[in-house]
Each structure stands twice: as structure tokens, then as C-alpha cells.
């Protein structure tokens, strides 16, 4: 039953969204933030209009401009970027809704809006829902209902937006590069209408990734923030409209290519989800809403996350069966549970210039196939994983020689102009049914033959000229990639897939609904990983973030670090190794074995609890904790990234504990002793014993633990258990 009442209230997990629904007009968001507890009866909400309207009725029309709707348009006297830009037959289409109907569904957690423009013959469906955790999700579908003419409706963009208060005065967004992802950039909230686009054909290392508006500088543990994230793995636009005459708007949408969405009569276009997270507990509260939502999804990974060894930095392209079997033997001995063979196993693949598209085992390197290695790994009690790059193709491959028309590029670019390739590779047009069947068939054959448990799925180049069947085809390519993930997992229940894109180039909430794990960065340098991981997990829960121990010095930076520091950083995600441990000393192997044992003890908490970060004044300090839902246990990693500023270090006040309980604090040194100078706080002596340092949660939170003066790139692991 459709309802055209004045107000709709959605509330869940401490968040409320209040919308005004004028007759046959697009709803307006009057409020988004803390659930203020006022019942949803119309009489109780009438004060909202008096408190927030910028004009006095009956002069209501001007207020539509001051308070933009869910789809802001020039027809509302909105002067910013319109929510929809479309045209038909060369003429612009400015929608005028002749009917708008609203309906509340899913126990009051979802608002459905159906709007019709009977003049321009356009329909729009908007879904705004409060997901588990209080995360706001919005998506839209536009339909061409002109059934009399063949002229398509061309959509240039269709964005989703929500208002933020005037008191928000800072904007945080992100940039980065390979292999230094998720670098935050914070500055004053820009004035005017601004967009930031990403045109890499994937989320990319330099994606805005999040727009976070905040009241003052954003902190992890406190303060109010409003965030927007696009759950989409193709091109993207993030937007902010901060104009004097309107409430500020924060939003995002798919960045469509020229003429990409042309709707014939009766056809439609559905936008990706846009996620909005409000928090009055800083960035950690914002992230917790993403984590709770993703963990609530039916396909989210559950159970113990296997300790993984990936062979890339161990052997690169130098595949030798005897060496890899010896590596697998040692991996099993130290406690590894998943062994993944990386790039270099398939036809012609001796370097990164050949073979992509030919997903068959190379008989020159593996004359007896991979069966023996897979059987050996399974016989050791480990899962077996294999690397693929299914969306890519090399010109030097049987696939490209036989099917050059399967390459997703401008027709004049291939195969005559090899100079425009990127990383010596091209993109395979997965929207082409024949190309899709080829890749899926070859992958499925290997999964079935070898009993593959896990795929590391890479995506190593930008998609710059995606011409499919004569039209811009990135949207279709992205959807085809999602479909390939889903089809393989449906055909092989229990198969897990990791999404890697030159490291962290595809880590959005879109791919997270299809993949089981992401590779946050090709850098295993723990000094860089401290920042990469803490900003990656603003959206991604830690059980989905691969965080491996690599050799020292690190292959990506040549920075040398202690094994204890590398191990501490690995505890902050889904742990494993990117390392030829055959080269390790006996002492290192003993340390690794102890580390794996510690991971298995703690992962039930580390991969399910709520993540917290401490806000320090000293820029050298980092502290991250994971706290159990019932506050019965917490594990904190405290680390330095450079020299401490002062001799007397700051104290750690661990958030999330129960002030009424007593905790035993232990220093977990299985990963190796950390180093510090000058002095040692008194509590550490007790924390090094089995009895631990016993203290109340109230003192821990209000006073805090005096930290030792850690030397640069050192870390300690603190285990806090309620008695």
C-alpha cells in the first residue's frame, strides 16, 4: 500500500533518517544522524518543519531549493550538480514528476519511491534503506517508458546524495599509488559544486574511495563524521555541493562513458549502491557500520580464516616442482593452512609479457601438470590455491591470436598498435559471451581437475578504451566480472576468491559482495602497511584483508625491519606469508611457528570483533585494537613508524572495554621481543608473566597504560582478558 503522508522515519542501530514526502514530489531528507528517539507519529514530527524550514509556509516552493530532494534538480531551483542528467534525440530531459508514491518496507528499515514523469515518459525508482549496523544504502533505477518512439533515452549520470549539516567543515578523501594505497587528504570543506572522478576502469590506487565530512579534524575515537562510499568497481564520481543557498550534499555515482547508457523503450539502468555512514564516535564508529553490514551479508566469509602462504615473493616466475614441494612441506610444518601458487604456471608464462588468456598448465615447466603439487599440498592438510588474471590478455597468447576480436579496446588500437598496451597486456571483453565462456570454461576445468580451494584473482592494468560492440562498455565489463566471480563460486561451493588489483586497486564494497578477501597492497613493508591497513579497514573488515609477512628488506621498498614488527602488522588482517621461508634461519622458523600458533589462538577475536584506534598527539605512534562484542577480551597492537617525540611516551587508553570489569593485561612476545630505550614502565614486568597485570577497565580507559619508549619501527602486542 503506497503512502503519501508528510513524514517517513527509518531507524536502526542508533541511526535515524527522517524524510518529508510532499504530495507528488521527490522526498526530502530532513534529518540523518543519531536516533533521537521521538516516535514516528506525524504529530510528534511536526516540530521538525518549524525547527528546520528556512521559510514560513505557505511559501513552500523556495524551501525545496534550500532543502534539496533525494534527486536534486533544476526544477527545485537547485543550483548545484543535478542528480540526473539525460537527453533524448539531442534534447535535454528535465524531469517533472507527475506522480510520486512512497512505500515503507522491511520492518520500517526501507523506503521505496516510485516516481513517474508522464510528459517526458521517464520512471524512477529509488530505494533508501537502513542496513544492519545503521549504514544507509541508496540505489536507483531509471526506465524509459516511451513505447511509441525508437529514440533512446541517454543517461549521462544518475547520482545518489544525502544532506550534511552546515557545521561540517572538513573533507577527507584519499589518493595513493602502487604500492602505497589509501593515503588520506584532509582540508577545509570546499565551497561550490565539485566532483572528483576516477577513470581507471577499476576502483584504482588513487580513487577518492571515501568522501568523509567532519565537524573539525577527523579523529578515530571521537567526533562526528558523515561519509559516502560507492560500492562499485568501475569508473566513479564523488561529489560535494556546498552552496550558500542550499544544505550541503554529499554523494556519488557511476562515472558513465560517452553514450554508454542508452535506454531503448522499456529498458532501464540500475545504479550501483552508494553507502552513507554517520558516526558520533569518529572514524571507528563510521567503519563499524560498514563492518556490521558486510558481516551480515549471507555470502560473507565465516569461521577461522586460514593462514596463507603465497609464492610470489618466494619464487616469482621461477617455478621448480621440487622447490615448491619443499616449500609446501615447510609451510605445513610451521602451521600454514593454505598454499597458493602465484603467477608463472600457465602457457608461455616465463615473464609478464606472455600467456594471459591461455589458462592451461605450461607443459615445459610442469610436464606432468599441477596434479602432483595439488595432491601433495592437500595431503599435507592444506588448501591449494592458484593465481589467475581472468580479465586480461596478452597479444602473445593463443587466445589473442585466435580471437583478436575479444580484446576490449578501440577497434583501431588492436592488434596493430601494441605501443598503447599497458603493462604489456590488454583487457579481455568479458561482456562478449564467447570470451566469457572461454575464461569460465578453462578456469572451471582446472578447479575441478586440481580441487582448487582458492583463487587469487588479479587485475593489473587500467581499462582505458573499453569499446564493446561499438559502444562504451565498462559498465558491462564490470558486471561481467562480478558475474564470473559468482558463477564460479556457485559451481564450486566452498571456493574462495581473493580480489587483487596490483595490490589495493579494487577494494570497494562492490567487489566485497563477490570476493572473500582482498589484497590491500603489493607492499609488505610493515612501515607502510600500518597506514594502508588502518585506512583500508574504514570500509573493509579485517578478516577480508590479506596481511602477509614478507622478507626483510621488503621487496617493494628495500626497507629492513625486525620480524617481530612484520608479525605484529600481520596480526591486523588475515595473516600469512609472502616469503621464501626455505631461506629462514632456525631462529626465524621458531619465531614464525610461534606466530602462527598465536594467530590461531587470537583469530576468533581478531576476525570478528570491533576495531578501534587510539588518537595520539605524537605522529610516531599508532595503536589499533580489536574488542570482543561483549568486551570480554581485546587485543591491541601498539607500533611506531619513526622516532618518538618525547622521552615520556603517551599512554594507551584502550577503547571498547567494560569499565565495571577487571582485566588481565599480558604482553604477548611469542612474535619476538620488541626494543625500546631509556626506561620500562612498571606494569610491563607483571604483563610478561602468566598472571599478567591486573587492573580495572575504568583505570585502563580513564588513565591508560604508560607506553614504553619504543624505538622506530617496533611494536608490542597487548592481550586484555576480563577476569
Amino acid at each position: 500500500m503506497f503512502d503519501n503522508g508528510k513524514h517517513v522515519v527509518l531507524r536502526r542501530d542508533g541511526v535515524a533518517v527522517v524524510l518529508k514526502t510532499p504530495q507528488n514530489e521527490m522526498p526530502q531528507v530532513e534529518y540523518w544522524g543519531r536516533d533521537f528517539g521521538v516516535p514516528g507519529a506525524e504529530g510528534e514530527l511536526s516540530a521538525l518543519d518549524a525547527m528546520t524550514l528556512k521559510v514560513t509556509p505557505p511559501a513552500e516552493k523556495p524551501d525545496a531549493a534550500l532543502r534539496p530532494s533525494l534527486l536534486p534538480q533544476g526544477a527545485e531551483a537547485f543550483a548545484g550538480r543535478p542528480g540526473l542528467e539525460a537527453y533524448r534525440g539531442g534534447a535535454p530531459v528535465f524531469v517533472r514528476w507527475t506522480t510520486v508514491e512512497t512505500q515503507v518496507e522491511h520492518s520500517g528499515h526501507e523506503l521505496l519511491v516510485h516516481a513517474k514523469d508522464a510528459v517526458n515518459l521517464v520512471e524512477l525508482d529509488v530505494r533508501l534503506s537502513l542496513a544492519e549496523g545503521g549504514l544507509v544504502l541508496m540505489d536507483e533505477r531509471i526506465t524509459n517508458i516511451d513505447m511509441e518512439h525508437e529514440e533512446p533515452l541517454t543517461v549521462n549520470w544518475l547520482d545518489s546524495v544525502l544532506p550534511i549539516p552546515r557545521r561540517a567543515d572538513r573533507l577527507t578523501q584519499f589518493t595513493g599509488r602502487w604500492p602505497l594505497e589509501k593515503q588520506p587528504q584532509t582540508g577545509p570543506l570546499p565551497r561550490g559544486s565539485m566532483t572528483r572522478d576516477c577513470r581507471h576502469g577499476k576502483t584504482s590506487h588513487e580513487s577518492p574511495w571515501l568522501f568523509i565530512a567532519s565537524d573539525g579534524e577527523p579523529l578515530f575515537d571521537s567526533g562526528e563524521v558523515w561519509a559516502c562510499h560507492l560500492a562499485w568497481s568501475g569508473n566513479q564520481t564523488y561529489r560535494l555541493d556546498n552552496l550558500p543557498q542550499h544544505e550541503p550534499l554529499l554523494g556519488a555515482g557511476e562515472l558513465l562513458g560517452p553514450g554508454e547508457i542508452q535506454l531503448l523503450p522499456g529498458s532501464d539502468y540500475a545504479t550501483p549502491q552508494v553507502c552513507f555512514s554517520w558516526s558520533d564516535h569518529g572514524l571507528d564508529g563510521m567503519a563499524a557500520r560498514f563492518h556490521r553490514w558486510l558481516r551480515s551479508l549471507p555470502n560473507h566469509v565465516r569461521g577461522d580464516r586460514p593462514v596463507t602462504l603465497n609464492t610470489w615473493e618466494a619464487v616469482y616466475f621461477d617455478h621448480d616442482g621440487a622447490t615448491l614441494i619443499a616449500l609446501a612441506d615447510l609451510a605445513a610444518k610451521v602451521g600454514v593452512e593454505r598454499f597458493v601458487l602465484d603467477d608463472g604456471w600457465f602457457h608461455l608464462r616465463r615473464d609478464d609479457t606472455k600467456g594471459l588468456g591461455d589458462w592451461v598448465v605450461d607443459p615445459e615447466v610442469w610436464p606432468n601438470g599441477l596434479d602432483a603439487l595439488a595432491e601433495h599440498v592437500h595431503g599435507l592438510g592444506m588448501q591449494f590455491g592458484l593465481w589467475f588474471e581472468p580479465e586480461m590478455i596478452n597479444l602473445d597468447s593463443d587466445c589473442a591470436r585466435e580471437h583478436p576480436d575479444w580484446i576490449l579496446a578501440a577497434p583501431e588500437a588492436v592488434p596493430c598498435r601494441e605501443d598503447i598496451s599497458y603493462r604489456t597486456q590488454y583487457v579481455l571483453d568479458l561482456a562478449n559471451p564467447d570470451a566469457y565462456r572461454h575464461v569460465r570454461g578453462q578456469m572451471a576445468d582446472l578447479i575441478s581437475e586440481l580441487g582448487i580451494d582458492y583463487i587469487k584473482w588479479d587485475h593489473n592494468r587500467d581499462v582505458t578504451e573499453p569499446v564493446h560492440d561499438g559502444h562504451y562498455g565498462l559498465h558491462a565489463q564490470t558486471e561481467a566480472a562480478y558475474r564470473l566471480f559468482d558463477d564460479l563460486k556457485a559451481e564450486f561451493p566452498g571456493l574462495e576468491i581473493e580480489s587483487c588489483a596490483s595490490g589495493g586497486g579494487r577494494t570497494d564494497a562492490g567487489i566485497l559482495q563477490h570476493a572473500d578477501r582482498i589484497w590491500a597492497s603489493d607492499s609488505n613493508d610493515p612501515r607502510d602497511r600500518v597506514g594502508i591497513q588502518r585506512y583500508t579497514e574504514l570500509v573493509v573488515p579485517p578478516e577480508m584483508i590479506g596481511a602477509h609477512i614478507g622478507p626483510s628488506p621488503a621487496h617493494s621498498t628495500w626497507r629492513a625491519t625486525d620480524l617481530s614488527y612484520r608479525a605484529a602488522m600481520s596480526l591486523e588482517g588475515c595473516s600469512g606469508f609472502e616469503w621464501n621461508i626455505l631461506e629462514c634461519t632456525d631462529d626465524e622458523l621458531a619465531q614464525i611457528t610461534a606466530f602462527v600458533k598465536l594467530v590461531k589462538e587470537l583469530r576468533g577475536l581478531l576476525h570478528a570483533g570491533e576495531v578501534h584506534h587510539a588518537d595520539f598527539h605524537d605522529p610516531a605512534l599508532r595503536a589499533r585494537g580489536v574488542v570482543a562484542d561483549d568486551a570480554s577480551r581485546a587485543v591491541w597492537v601498539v607500533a611506531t613508524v619513526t622516532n618518538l617525540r618525547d622521552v615520556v611516551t603517551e599512554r594507551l587508553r584502550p577503547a571498547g572495554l567494560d569499565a565495571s570489569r577487571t582485566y588481565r593485561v599480558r604482553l604477548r612476545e611469542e612474535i619476538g621481543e620488541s626494543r625500546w630505550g631509556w626506561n620500562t614502565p612498571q606494569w610491563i614486568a607483571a604483563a610478561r608473566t602468566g598472571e599478567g597485570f591486573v587492573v580495572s577497565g575504568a583505570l585502563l580507559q580513564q588513565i591508560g597504560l604508560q607506553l614504553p619508549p619504543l624505538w622506530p619501527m617496533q611494536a608490542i602486542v597487548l592481550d586484555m582478558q576480563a577476569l
Side-chain angles (χ1 to χ4, degrees):
M1 186 69 176
F2 284 99
D3 174 19
N4 280 308
K6 284 189 175 181
H7 288 92
V8 169
V9 181
L10 309 178
R11 45 172 41 109
R12 192 173 193 179
D13 295 331
V15 175
V17 181
V18 181
L19 301 103
K20 187 175 181 180
T21 58
Q23 185 75 24
N24 289 330
E25 293 183 21
M26 188 60 61
Q28 306 161 8
V29 174
E30 287 194 338
Y31 175 83
W32 164 43
R34 181 189 296 110
D35 189 347
F36 45 76
V38 174
E42 187 63 33
E44 295 288 343
L45 295 170
S46 60
L48 266 178
D49 282 341
M51 295 170 65
T52 62
L53 282 174
K54 287 82 177 173
V55 297
T56 300
E60 292 182 354
K61 286 298 181 184
D63 190 65
L66 298 169
R67 179 190 290 148
S69 74
L70 285 177
L71 190 78
Q73 294 289 306
E76 304 169 3
F78 178 69
R81 173 182 166 98
L84 167 68
E85 183 176 275
Y87 64 92
R88 184 189 279 122
V93 172
F94 296 119
V95 290
R96 299 286 194 278
W97 306 121
T98 50
T99 59
V100 178
E101 299 170 316
T102 60
Q103 184 177 3
V104 177
E105 296 280 0
H106 293 97
S107 304
H109 296 152
E110 184 172 273
L111 176 69
L112 303 177
V113 181
H114 179 73
K116 180 177 181 179
D117 180 347
V119 177
N120 290 295
L121 298 175
V122 172
E123 286 185 346
L124 181 74
D125 292 283
V126 181
R127 177 172 53 189
L128 188 152
S129 57
L130 263 178
E132 186 165 334
L135 192 74
V136 179
L137 303 177
M138 196 182 311
D139 58 85
E140 301 165 274
R141 183 182 298 271
I142 186 170
T143 305
N144 179 11
I145 60 171
D146 183 355
M147 310 305 290
E148 296 183 5
H149 305 92
E150 295 183 359
E151 193 71 48
L153 176 71
T154 301
V155 178
N156 288 344
W157 68 71
L158 179 55
D159 298 336
S160 295
V161 298
L162 281 184
I164 58 175
R166 274 284 169 213
R167 65 180 180 277
D169 64 353
R170 309 290 286 176
L171 180 69
T172 299
Q173 50 186 311
F174 290 81
T175 185
R177 60 165 175 83
W178 180 90
L180 194 63
E181 296 86 344
K182 306 299 185 295
Q183 301 301 304
Q185 310 288 313
T186 300
L189 196 77
R191 303 290 290 183
S193 288
M194 59 87 71
T195 61
R196 185 165 162 213
D197 295 342
C198 173
R199 301 175 183 272
H200 291 265
K202 58 183 178 182
T203 320
S204 93
H205 300 79
E206 64 179 79
S207 165
W209 199 57
L210 284 160
F211 265 15
I212 305 171
S214 56
D215 186 356
E217 290 293 318
L219 300 174
F220 278 95
D221 192 42
S222 61
E224 202 166 10
V225 298
W226 300 261
C228 172
H229 171 76
L230 181 66
W232 180 246
S233 306
N235 286 347
Q236 56 206 240
T237 292
Y238 282 76
R239 56 176 288 169
L240 171 73
D241 295 273
N242 184 20
L243 304 173
Q245 66 270 41
H246 309 302
E247 288 183 339
L249 293 179
L250 200 63
E254 181 182 6
L255 176 61
L256 298 170
E260 183 168 17
I261 301 299
Q262 298 187 43
L263 303 179
L264 296 172
S267 61
D268 59 35
Y269 161 67
T271 68
Q273 284 178 321
V274 181
C275 311
F276 298 90
S277 184
W278 165 85
S279 167
D280 58 357
H281 286 84
L283 298 175
D284 286 340
M286 180 207 84
R289 300 199 189 282
F290 280 100
H291 295 180
R292 285 191 60 184
W293 166 58
L294 287 164
R295 287 170 171 170
S296 74
L297 299 180
N299 60 342
H300 185 71
V301 291
R302 286 170 174 82
D304 291 339
R305 307 310 304 134
V307 178
T308 300
L309 186 144
N310 189 76
T311 66
W312 178 241
E313 290 191 14
V315 300
Y316 291 104
F317 290 106
D318 186 13
H319 284 203
D320 173 74
T323 300
L324 286 162
I325 283 177
L327 183 60
D329 288 339
L330 187 54
K333 184 177 180 180
V334 302
V336 167
E337 298 160 303
R338 177 188 283 154
F339 185 88
V340 182
L341 183 65
D342 209 287
D343 195 357
W345 57 267
F346 52 97
H347 182 45
L348 301 177
R349 194 66 168 180
R350 304 284 63 75
D351 55 40
D352 64 358
T353 66
K354 306 177 182 67
L356 291 176
D358 296 344
W359 303 111
V360 292
V361 178
D362 193 319
E364 291 188 13
V365 179
W366 296 96
N368 299 314
L370 289 174
D371 306 65
L373 178 62
E375 289 175 9
H376 189 76
V377 168
H378 285 139
L380 292 168
M382 295 188 294
Q383 296 179 9
F384 180 68
L386 199 60
W387 182 96
F388 290 87
E389 195 170 2
E391 296 153 89
M392 301 296 156
I393 185 170
N394 291 125
L395 291 186
D396 191 353
S397 66
D398 291 346
C399 184
R401 281 185 285 270
E402 295 171 11
H403 304 285
D405 55 311
W406 288 1
I407 296 175
L408 185 69
E412 61 272 16
V414 197
C416 57
R417 287 187 56 203
E418 296 185 29
D419 59 296
I420 70 155
S421 72
Y422 179 88
R423 207 178 177 271
T424 325
Q425 61 191 66
Y426 289 83
V427 182
L428 188 69
D429 185 359
L430 290 182
N432 180 312
D434 293 331
Y436 186 93
R437 279 192 294 270
H438 165 80
V439 174
R440 176 179 170 174
Q442 288 195 332
M443 293 180 73
D445 287 347
L446 280 167
I447 295 168
S448 177
E449 176 188 338
L450 301 175
I452 293 172
D453 307 286
Y454 184 83
I455 288 173
K456 180 178 178 182
W457 182 309
D458 220 333
H459 184 298
N460 277 312
R461 69 150 284 173
D462 289 353
V463 186
T464 51
E465 296 179 337
V467 179
H468 164 74
D469 199 19
H471 300 283
Y472 200 91
L474 186 62
H475 180 88
Q477 177 76 3
T478 306
E479 288 194 325
Y482 287 165
R483 188 168 66 254
L484 187 52
F485 271 77
D486 296 343
D487 284 353
L488 290 172
K489 291 174 69 176
E491 185 175 355
F492 300 98
L495 175 71
E496 291 192 9
I497 304 179
E498 174 186 64
S499 173
C500 172
S502 296
R506 186 160 66 177
T507 57
D508 56 90
I511 200 69
L512 295 179
Q513 296 177 63
H514 304 274
D516 303 284
R517 191 180 194 249
I518 60 98
W519 187 232
S521 178
D522 279 344
S523 175
N524 290 307
D525 181 337
R527 164 62 182 81
D528 289 343
R529 275 283 185 150
V530 175
I532 292 168
Q533 289 178 191
R534 75 168 175 164
Y535 290 111
T536 297
E537 66 185 359
L538 289 181
V539 171
V540 189
E543 65 270 22
M544 297 187 77
I545 303 175
H548 290 184
I549 298 176
S552 180
H555 287 196
S556 58
T557 63
W558 217 243
R559 181 186 284 125
T561 52
D562 288 346
L563 178 53
S564 61
Y565 190 62
R566 286 175 275 151
M569 292 307 104
S570 180
L571 283 176
E572 297 189 354
C574 188
S575 300
F577 301 93
E578 200 87 8
W579 190 6
N580 185 0
I581 59 174
L582 291 170
E583 299 174 349
C584 289
T585 66
D586 289 344
D587 287 345
E588 287 175 325
L589 289 174
Q591 201 171 339
I592 286 171
T593 303
F595 162 75
V596 172
K597 184 178 179 182
L598 181 64
V599 168
K600 293 177 180 179
E601 175 192 339
L602 298 179
R603 63 187 171 188
L605 167 62
L606 296 176
H607 298 161
E610 187 167 284
V611 178
H612 294 269
H613 296 82
D615 289 304
F616 292 117
H617 293 290
D618 191 332
L621 274 174
R622 303 286 187 271
R624 173 195 180 272
V626 183
V627 184
D629 290 342
D630 61 359
S632 61
R633 193 172 189 181
V635 173
W636 281 80
V637 175
V638 182
T640 53
V641 295
T642 186
N643 286 304
L644 290 167
R645 185 175 58 191
D646 299 311
V647 173
V648 177
T649 317
E650 292 178 55
R651 296 171 185 160
L652 171 67
R653 296 191 296 169
L657 302 182
D658 185 342
S660 66
R661 301 171 81 171
T662 300
Y663 289 85
R664 175 185 288 115
V665 181
R666 290 189 296 156
L667 187 64
R668 305 301 301 260
E669 295 185 298
E670 292 94 330
I671 62 173
E673 291 188 11
S674 301
R675 305 177 189 185
W676 59 78
W678 309 312
N679 53 64
T680 298
Q682 185 175 345
W683 64 270
I684 285 182
R688 279 177 158 157
T689 68
E691 296 299 318
F693 176 67
V694 178
V695 62
S696 72
L699 285 177
L700 282 171
Q701 290 188 311
Q702 295 175 28
I703 307 301
L705 291 169
Q706 177 64 53
L707 293 172
L710 291 165
W711 289 350
M713 290 180 289
Q714 296 290 313
I716 57 174
V717 178
L718 301 174
D719 186 356
M720 304 175 184
Q721 287 184 277
L723 299 178

